[in-house]
Amino acid sequence: MARGCEHPSGCHTGEVPTLASATVGARLWLLIEYTGAWPSRLENFELPEEISELVRRALERGIRPQLIRRPGKRTRPQNQGIRVLLGHAAGDRPWLAGGVVAGPDDLDLDAFVTGVVPESCILEDEPVFLVCTHAKRNVCCARIGLPLARSLAESLPDRVWETSHVGGDRYAANLVCLPHGIFYGSMSQAAALAAANAYRSGEIILDRYRGRAGIPEPLQAVEHFARAHTGECSVGAVAVESSRSDGDVTEAIVRCGDVRFQVVVEPSAFTAPCGTACAETITTYRLVSLDRLTPVQYTTPALA
C-alpha cells in the first residue's frame, strides 16, 4: 500500500476482483473540456458560470457530466468556445459526437437525450478513452492515473483524456472506453494499452474488466461469467435478455452469439490480502450456476 493510500492491499494491482463495479447510472455522457482546477464534486457547481450551467443542465436530464483535459496540458487558448463530447451509450448502437459550443444554449441536450446528435456537434468515428486523474476526489486517482494517461496518450494521440471522478476510487487507475461506457480498473500501463487496442477492434478483455456503465451490478456479473465461460470477447455479442431477483440472488437469461444461458449470481464478500486489518469490506459476485439452454423446437400440426 502506497503512502497516503487508504485502500485495501491489492486494489490497484489487479489482485482484488473488479467485476460488476462499473457506474450504474451512466448511459448518457457529457464531457466538458476544462483545464482549470477541478472541484472535489461537480454537483457543488464551484466552476465558472458557463461550465456550471452545462453541468447543471446535464444532471437535470440524467446525463453524466465529466470534466476532461488533455494529458499533461493545463492551458487552453482563450475565446475559442467550450469543447464538448457526447457519448450515447444506450441501445445496441452507441455513438460519440463532438463539437465546440459558444455556451450552454448552443448545446441541445434535450435532443441528445432522445438519441439525436445536436446540431452543434458532429459524429466521431473513433472512440475516446478516459483516465480518472481527479486528485481532489482521491489522491490515488492522480498518483496512478496521471502517468497512465500520459503513457496511453503517447500511443493513442488525440483519443485520450484525463477526466474527473468516474466512480470506484479503490480501482485506480480507472479507464473508461466511450461510446459503450466500458469500465476497466486497477490498470497498469500495459493493461490499459491492451484494453484500448481491443476496444478499437470491437472487443473486451476480461482481465480487470469492471463492466459496462448503466447496467445493474448483478447483470454486469452475469455478463462477466457468461463471457468467461464462452470466451466471447466481442463488445456487442453478449446481452442479458431477461432477469429476476429473489432477495440477493439474481437469475438471468443471457445471449452469447446464437447461444443462450441461464445464469444465477449472488453477492459475495471478498477478503482483501491484508486480511481483517482492512476496515473496508469489498463486495463482489460469485457464480451460483450457469446452464446452457436447449433451443425450443416449434412444430406446426398438420392441417386436417
Side-chain angles (χ1 to χ4, degrees), residues 39-47 55-56 59 65 137 165:
S40 59
R41 296 181 181 274
L42 272 61
E43 59 269 26
N44 291 341
F45 306 112
E46 299 169 347
L47 290 160
V55 171
R56 188 187 311 276
L59 292 173
R137 193 60 179 262
H165 178 67

Side-chain angles (χ1 to χ4, degrees), residues 231-267:
E232 180 59 68
C233 58
S234 175
V235 172
V238 178
V240 176
E241 296 184 332
S242 64
S243 66
R244 65 183 182 91
S245 296
D246 183 4
D248 287 339
V249 177
T250 297
E251 175 186 324
I253 304 301
V254 58
R255 173 183 55 79
C256 293
D258 296 329
V259 181
R260 286 175 171 80
F261 296 89
Q262 180 186 57
V263 184
V264 180
V265 300
E266 66 180 6

Side-chain angles (χ1 to χ4, degrees), residues 24-108:
V24 171
R27 299 307 298 272
L28 304 174
W29 298 70
L30 170 61
L31 315 181
I32 309 164
E33 184 176 13
Y34 180 63
T35 58
W38 294 350
S40 59
R41 296 181 181 274
L42 272 61
E43 59 269 26
N44 291 341
F45 306 112
E46 299 169 347
L47 290 160
E49 183 178 352
E50 289 191 331
I51 304 296
S52 286
E53 183 60 21
L54 280 171
V55 171
R56 188 187 311 276
R57 293 185 184 187
L59 292 173
E60 288 174 350
R61 291 161 175 80
I63 302 168
R64 183 179 180 93
Q66 295 285 142
L67 300 181
I68 58 172
R69 61 193 174 207
R70 290 296 187 192
K73 296 183 179 180
R74 296 294 181 270
T75 60
R76 177 177 172 82
Q78 299 298 312
N79 304 319
Q80 290 193 7
I82 304 170
R83 167 77 166 164
V84 296
L85 289 165
L86 299 171
H88 196 281
D92 296 331
R93 295 187 176 182
W95 51 263
L96 188 71
V100 177
V101 298
D105 292 337
D106 194 27
L107 183 61
D108 189 349

Side-chain angles (χ1 to χ4, degrees), residues 133-147:
T133 61
H134 200 166
K136 284 189 178 179
R137 193 60 179 262
N138 190 278
V139 67
C140 293
C141 294
R143 178 177 61 84
I144 309 173
L146 282 169

Side-chain angles (χ1 to χ4, degrees), residues 275-298:
T276 57
C278 292
E280 185 177 8
T281 300
I282 299 174
T283 300
T284 183
Y285 286 83
R286 78 174 191 90
L287 178 64
V288 177
S289 64
L290 187 153
D291 298 295
R292 179 169 177 164
L293 298 179
T294 302
V296 176
Q297 300 295 325
Y298 293 99

